[in-house]
């Protein structure tokens, strides 16, 4: 009981901590720790107060850490949905900051002095770059799919191949979004094969739309058949193609061996409506980009749901700057594209550099490992990108233990395990990450 009386008063401790930390935060941490300590003493689980300072400092640190944090992505999955999908470039981030810190002409026409449209900032760029007649931008591609179906097929039928009734992570399933939009799904073909005649037979006076969905997170091989876009267009019904990733480039031009369709190709083929994400292969902020025939896009813009799905000014800023980088051909400034096209010997050099930096961490065994990274984010699932990793084994900890420890690092590091080794894939690390990685490991030593 004597120990209870030795516990200092909150106000006493606050005198010490409020010089170093915000008062409210310090007070909360002190109160929480003292209460815990008091309980422990009462229950006989504590016989000293020596670690009081340490406990309070730790609690202050915990309370001042934000929930959303920067993470070092060493998984090699470039568009890592769980880790925030695409990283944005400095140019893009700085422009977002500029717009965040000031008023802007978001919906104000500086020429005429009257009301303007928030999409005007993107329209010209997107039309010029894709050759489309009309453009609409909403909060994300799931919102785009909803808006297209709700606008063009409410109460009507939409024909989709059974091989394209996909589920994307986070509970987005084509049949479910179709139902929510008020359109009726008509499935045709089988899982692995769908023919033009399947579509032909399904078309009725109730059909409003044919829909094609890009298989973004899986691929089919073997006894498969699907109907080419050109053939679907011959059926003379509006066709909507959900591209998923929605690249603005033909990625084959950058040396990426993929069949991923681009916005430009689709518009050129005459597809009346296409949509895709802003933060997958495009490498910008989260957004849903819809392109297509002028009159169809106009109908979507007039749908009241457009207001509910509209993009905010920070997204617009991020997207405008990203599109400008594309227009100027500055692809290396878009981290997603840069990471996807990195040369293997650059990655190897980087791995060697990290190994040199980590050499002083005596508890680690280090290996140079050749492996494959993936694009991720529901894009190019078939693509294996040759890469180099730093393989780690800890002299005392098991690999799962090491993985857990790094995940709780400052900043947290997320890596992948292969057999009994932890791999840090060089592909998804920025220069800043490389510097910080060394610090994380040095801290682990003590
Ligand atoms: C990712 C994806 C979506 C959803 O896009 P979000 O931008 O994540 O909302 C829809 N359809 C396909 C085919 C996708 O790959």
């Amino acid at each position: 009981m004597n120990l209870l009386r030795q516990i200092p008063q909150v106000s006493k401790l606050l005198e010490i901590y409020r010089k170093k930390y915000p008062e409210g935060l310090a007070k909360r941490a002190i109160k929480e720790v003292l209460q815990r300590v008091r309980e422990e003493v009462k229950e006989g689980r504590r016989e000293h107060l020596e670690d009081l300072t340490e406990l309070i400092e730790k609690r202050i640190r915990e309370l001042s850490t934000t929930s959303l944090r920067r993470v070092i992505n060493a998984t090699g999955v470039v568009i890592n949905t769980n880790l925030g999908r695409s990283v944005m470039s400095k140019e893009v981030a700085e422009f977002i900051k500029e717009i965040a810190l000031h008023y802007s002409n978001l919906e104000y026409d500086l020429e005429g002095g009257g009301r303007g449209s928030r999409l005007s900032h993107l329209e010209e760029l997107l039309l010029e770059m894709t050759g489309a007649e009309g453009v609409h931008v909403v909060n994300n591609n799931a919102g785009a799919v909803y808006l297209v179906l709700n606008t063009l097929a409410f109460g009507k039928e939409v024909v989709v191949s059974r091989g394209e009734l996909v589920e994307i992570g986070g509970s987005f399933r084509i049949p479910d979004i179709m139902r929510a939009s008020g359109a009726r799904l008509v499935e045709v073909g089988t899982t692995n094969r769908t023919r033009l005649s399947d579509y032909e037979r399904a078309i009725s006076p109730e059909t409003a739309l044919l829909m094609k969905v890009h298989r973004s997170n899986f691929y089919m091989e073997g006894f498969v058949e699907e109907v080419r876009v050109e053939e679907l267009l011959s059926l003379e019904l509006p066709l909507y193609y959900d591209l998923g990733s929605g690249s603005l480039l033909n990625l084959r031009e950058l040396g990426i061996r993929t069949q991923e369709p681009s916005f430009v190709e689709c518009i050129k083929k005459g597809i009346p409506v296409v949509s895709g994400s802003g933060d997958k292969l495009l490498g910008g902020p989260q957004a849903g980009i819809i392109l297509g025939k002028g009159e169809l896009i106009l109908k979507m813009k007039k749908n009241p749901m457009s207001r509910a799905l509209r993009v905010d000014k920070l997204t617009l800023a991020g997207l405008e700057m990203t599109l400008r980088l594309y227009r100027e051909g500055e692809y290396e400034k878009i981290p997603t594209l840069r990471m996807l096209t990195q040369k293997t010997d650059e990655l190897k050099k980087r791995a060697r550099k990290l190994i040199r930096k980590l050499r002083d961490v005596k508890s680690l065994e280090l290996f140079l490992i050749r492996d494959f990274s993936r694009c991720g984010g529901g894009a190019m699932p078939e693509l294996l990108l040759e890469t180099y990793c730093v393989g780690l084994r800890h002299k005392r900890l098991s690999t799962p233990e090491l993985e857990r420890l790094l995940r709780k690092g400052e900043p947290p590091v997320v890596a992948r395990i292969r057999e009994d080794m932890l791999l840090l894939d060089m592909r998804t690390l920025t220069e800043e990450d490389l510097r910080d990685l060394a610090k994380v490991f040095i801290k682990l030593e003590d």
Side-chain angles (χ1 to χ4, degrees):
M1 276 304 128
N2 200 19
L3 198 56
L4 269 186
R5 256 178 263 129
Q6 284 173 31
I7 296 177
Q9 284 178 329
V10 174
S11 57
K12 266 261 175 57
L13 288 167
L14 195 57
E15 285 303 317
I16 306 167
Y17 288 100
R18 89 165 148 220
K19 288 183 204 115
K20 256 168 87 184
Y21 303 101
E23 185 167 341
L25 193 79
K27 194 168 180 179
R28 196 153 141 206
I30 294 166
K31 275 188 170 166
E32 283 182 25
V33 169
L34 292 191
Q35 179 166 358
R36 195 163 73 217
V37 165
R38 229 173 262 127
E39 275 164 24
E40 285 171 4
V41 172
K42 279 187 201 153
E43 288 164 15
R45 287 186 289 128
R46 171 177 277 281
E47 275 148 14
H48 66 86
L49 299 173
E50 283 156 24
D51 56 350
L52 207 54
T53 321
E54 200 180 308
L55 288 174
I56 292 170
E57 296 261 355
K58 180 161 172 272
R59 191 62 193 138
I60 289 177
R61 267 200 310 278
E62 283 169 3
L63 285 174
S64 52
T65 311
T66 52
S67 168
L68 186 61
R69 305 162 70 184
R70 166 197 169 196
V71 160
I72 294 181
N73 174 13
T75 63
V77 179
V78 177
I79 308 173
N80 195 317
T81 296
N82 293 344
L83 303 184
R85 283 201 183 153
S86 282
V87 171
M88 280 177 242
S89 68
K90 282 218 169 56
E91 288 78 4
V92 171
E94 271 157 21
F95 186 49
I96 290 176
K97 185 174 162 195
E98 157 105 358
I99 295 302
L101 288 175
H102 303 90
Y103 290 105
S104 61
N105 61 339
L106 179 66
E107 289 189 354
Y108 184 69
D109 173 12
L110 292 172
E111 293 275 323
R115 194 184 156 83
S117 136
R118 65 174 59 209
L119 289 183
S120 67
H121 309 288
L122 301 174
E123 243 151 14
E124 216 172 295
L125 277 164
L126 274 168
L127 296 183
E128 179 194 319
M129 293 169 69
T130 61
E133 269 178 35
V135 48
H136 193 20
V137 180
V138 293
N139 182 59
N140 58 0
N141 189 36
V145 175
Y146 176 88
L147 186 66
V148 172
L149 295 173
N150 181 260
T151 309
L152 303 180
F154 183 83
K156 295 261 190 158
E157 290 177 355
V158 180
V159 184
V160 189
S161 159
R162 288 202 169 87
E164 297 172 7
L165 293 175
V166 304
E167 169 172 330
I168 324 293
S171 72
F172 175 91
R173 294 169 139 195
I174 294 294
D176 295 343
I177 199 124
M178 186 83 72
R179 199 173 311 115
S181 76
R184 288 200 304 279
L185 171 65
V186 177
E187 305 174 19
V188 294
T190 60
T191 305
N192 55 331
R193 306 194 68 163
T194 305
R195 304 188 186 85
L196 189 63
S197 56
D198 295 323
Y199 285 92
E200 282 167 342
R201 262 198 308 268
I203 291 172
S204 78
E206 286 294 294
T207 313
L209 200 63
L210 307 178
M211 181 179 183
K212 191 167 173 58
V213 185
H214 182 55
R215 277 183 218 112
S216 35
N217 50 7
F218 70 107
Y219 58 101
M220 300 203 302
E221 255 178 0
F223 191 55
V224 294
E225 180 176 344
E226 66 179 299
V227 182
R228 289 184 312 128
V229 162
E230 289 80 355
E231 292 178 280
L232 288 178
L233 286 170
S234 74
L235 295 175
E236 295 187 346
L237 268 166
L239 173 65
Y240 164 42
Y241 193 174
D242 173 14
L243 293 179
S245 234
S247 171
L248 267 179
L249 283 179
N250 180 343
L251 292 165
R252 295 179 288 282
E253 281 170 25
L254 296 185
I256 303 173
R257 271 171 279 129
T258 175
Q259 297 302 312
E260 197 76 22
S262 76
F263 278 120
V264 184
E265 285 167 71
C266 291
I267 296 298
K268 217 181 241 166
K269 283 182 181 162
I271 301 175
V273 182
V274 294
S275 76
S277 292
D279 56 350
K280 290 184 182 171
L281 278 174
L282 205 123
Q286 176 187 303
I289 298 173
I290 313 173
L291 297 167
K293 295 261 180 281
E295 93 258 25
L296 298 179
I297 298 287
L298 196 62
K299 269 192 201 165
M300 291 176 216
K301 285 184 173 170
K302 286 186 180 156
N303 186 331
M305 280 309 292
S306 274
R307 178 63 178 77
L309 295 167
R310 81 173 181 187
V311 279
D312 87 311
K313 61 185 177 183
L314 302 185
T315 303
L316 281 173
L319 202 51
E320 181 179 354
M321 192 50 83
T322 305
L323 293 173
R324 283 177 181 276
L325 293 175
Y326 269 96
R327 195 179 60 179
E328 308 314 328
E330 306 211 66
Y331 308 133
E332 79 290 347
K333 287 195 178 150
I334 295 168
T336 300
L337 294 181
R338 193 174 60 226
M339 288 175 187
L340 285 172
T341 54
Q342 265 174 134
K343 300 272 180 297
T344 318
D345 32 316
E346 269 170 51
L347 296 165
K348 192 176 187 177
K349 243 187 254 167
R350 217 180 232 203
R352 289 220 169 100
K353 191 167 146 191
L354 184 61
I355 288 178
R356 278 197 300 279
K357 280 192 184 182
L358 296 182
R359 202 155 270 161
D360 293 337
V361 186
K362 294 294 177 222
S363 53
L364 287 179
E365 280 183 275
L366 304 161
F367 306 87
L368 179 68
I369 306 280
R370 231 192 87 196
D371 202 39
F372 294 95
S373 7
R374 288 191 174 273
C375 176
M380 310 195 285
E382 76 291 352
L383 198 69
L384 289 172
L385 301 157
E386 196 185 330
T387 192
Y388 276 90
C389 302
V390 174
L392 302 173
R393 262 201 222 114
H394 197 276
K395 289 182 181 147
R396 290 181 310 276
L397 303 173
S398 70
T399 298
E401 280 169 338
L402 179 62
E403 187 269 341
R404 198 172 326 122
L405 204 63
L406 283 180
R407 209 166 359 101
K408 295 186 170 176
E410 184 53 59
V413 181
V414 184
R416 69 171 186 267
I417 294 178
R418 195 184 80 177
E419 286 148 29
D420 60 342
M421 205 183 272
L422 195 68
L423 298 188
L424 305 176
D425 191 324
M426 295 298 108
R427 184 175 296 277
T428 43
L429 300 177
T430 61
E431 283 304 316
E432 198 182 350
D433 288 341
L434 279 180
R435 276 197 302 278
D436 293 344
L437 260 177
K439 281 189 225 148
V440 170
F441 281 100
I442 289 161
K443 238 186 273 167
L444 283 189
E445 278 292 87
D446 32 82

